[in-house]
Amino acid sequence: EDRRLLVPVALRRLAELRDVHLGPQDTWVVGDTERDLACARAGGAHCVLVATGRYSFDELSALGADAVVADLSRTEEITALLSAGL
């Protein structure tokens, strides 16, 4: 119900189901609202917001996410961003 709790849940499930152990600092939340950014921040993760929903690129940029993109069509750039970390 509270998406701010999702990062630890996702990391625990990843460890349990795939035996992959990541910390929140190695994790990205990809979303399109301020609630997705709040989820990332609460869990200590990075956040990329995608302006394909209700909010414009400029509105999302003003929120202070680690990255904001217009869409996910530039697959190589998105993959590089998520793989590089910060």
Side-chain angles (χ1 to χ4, degrees):
E1 290 183 24
D2 184 350
R3 78 175 65 194
R4 292 173 297 170
L5 303 175
L6 288 177
V7 171
V9 170
L11 293 175
R12 186 182 71 246
R13 287 184 182 171
L14 179 65
E16 291 170 357
L17 298 173
R18 304 281 187 209
D19 198 29
V20 174
H21 302 273
L22 297 175
Q25 71 280 358
D26 301 314
T27 304
W28 284 84
V29 172
V30 178
D32 62 359
T33 73
E34 70 277 357
R35 291 176 294 163
D36 299 311
L37 177 58
C39 169
R41 294 297 181 252
H46 302 290
C47 182
V48 59
L49 295 176
V50 185
T52 54
R54 248 174 68 192
Y55 300 98
S56 71
F57 182 89
D58 291 337
E59 289 171 315
L60 294 176
S61 294
L63 297 176
D66 297 297
V68 179
V69 296
D71 58 47
L72 297 174
S73 63
R74 294 180 168 183
T75 309
E76 290 180 16
E77 290 177 25
I78 301 300
T79 301
L81 171 70
L82 299 177
S83 299
L86 291 176

